[in-house]
C-alpha cells in the first residue's frame, strides 16, 4: 500500500555536502574571514584567534542542537530532518557568500550551526 521512497538522493546530497565542505567551502570560508578581518583592522594573530573562537562556538551550537534534531527526526522521519539540514547548509552558503562584515559572517555561521547542516 505505502511505497517506500529511496533515501539514495538524500545520501548523495549529504555526501556531496561533505566533499564540498572539505575541498572548497572550508578554504574559501577561511579566505573570506581573513579578508573581512583585514577590512575590520585585525592583524593576522587576532584573525586566527577570532576564527578559532568562531569555529569553536559554532561547534558548541551544533553539539547542543544535534540531540534536538535527532529527537525531531525520530518523530517525523529521516527525510524531513535531512532536508532541513541540507537546506540549512545551502542557505548558509548563500548568506555567507554575501557577507560584508565579520559580525554578519559570524552570526550566519553560528546560526547555521543550529540546523547542524554539516552533520547531514
Amino acid at each position: 500500500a505505502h511505497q517506500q521512497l529511496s533515501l539514495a538522493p538524500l545520501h548523495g546530497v549529504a555526501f556531496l555536502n561533505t566533499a564540498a565542505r572539505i575541498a572548497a567551502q572550508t578554504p574559501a570560508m577561511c579566505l573570506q574571514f581573513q579578508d573581512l578581518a583585514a577590512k575590520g583592522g585585525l592583524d593576522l594573530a587576532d584573525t586566527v584567534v577570532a576564527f578559532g573562537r568562531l569555529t569553536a562556538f559554532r561547534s558548541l551550537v551544533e553539539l547542543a542542537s544535534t540531540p534536538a534534531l535527532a529527537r525531531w527526526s525520530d518523530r517525523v522521519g529521516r527525510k524531513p530532518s535531512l532536508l532541513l539540514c541540507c537546506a540549512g547548509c545551502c542557505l548558509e552558503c548563500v548568506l555567507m557568500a554575501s557577507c560584508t562584515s565579520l559580525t554578519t559572517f559570524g552570526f550566519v555561521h553560528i546560526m547555521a550551526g543550529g540546523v547542524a547542516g554539516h552533520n547531514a
Side-chain angles (χ1 to χ4, degrees):
H2 185 292
Q3 181 182 356
Q4 287 284 342
L5 297 175
S6 172
L7 287 175
L10 288 176
H11 290 156
V13 169
F15 173 77
L16 289 175
N17 175 18
T18 302
R21 179 96 176 136
I22 293 167
Q25 187 180 7
T26 298
M29 186 176 74
C30 292
L31 291 172
Q32 183 181 12
F33 187 89
Q34 188 174 2
D35 288 345
L36 293 171
K39 288 179 186 175
L42 293 175
D43 65 9
L44 185 57
D46 290 337
T47 300
V48 170
V49 170
F51 189 73
R53 287 180 180 161
L54 175 63
T55 303
F57 193 65
R58 157 67 182 252
S59 295
L60 288 174
V61 169
E62 282 194 38
L63 179 66
S65 67
T66 300
L69 288 168
R71 284 190 301 276
W72 181 66
S73 175
D74 289 344
R75 279 197 313 268
V76 300
R78 285 180 290 190
K79 290 176 189 174
S81 61
L82 280 172
L83 284 172
L84 173 69
C85 292
C86 290
C89 184
C90 291
L91 184 61
E92 177 189 12
C93 292
V94 169
L95 292 175
M96 286 182 68
S98 63
C99 287
T100 57
S101 73
L102 276 180
T103 304
T104 306
F105 186 95
F107 180 76
V108 168
H109 191 56
I110 290 167
M111 298 297 7
V115 294
H118 303 134
N119 293 339

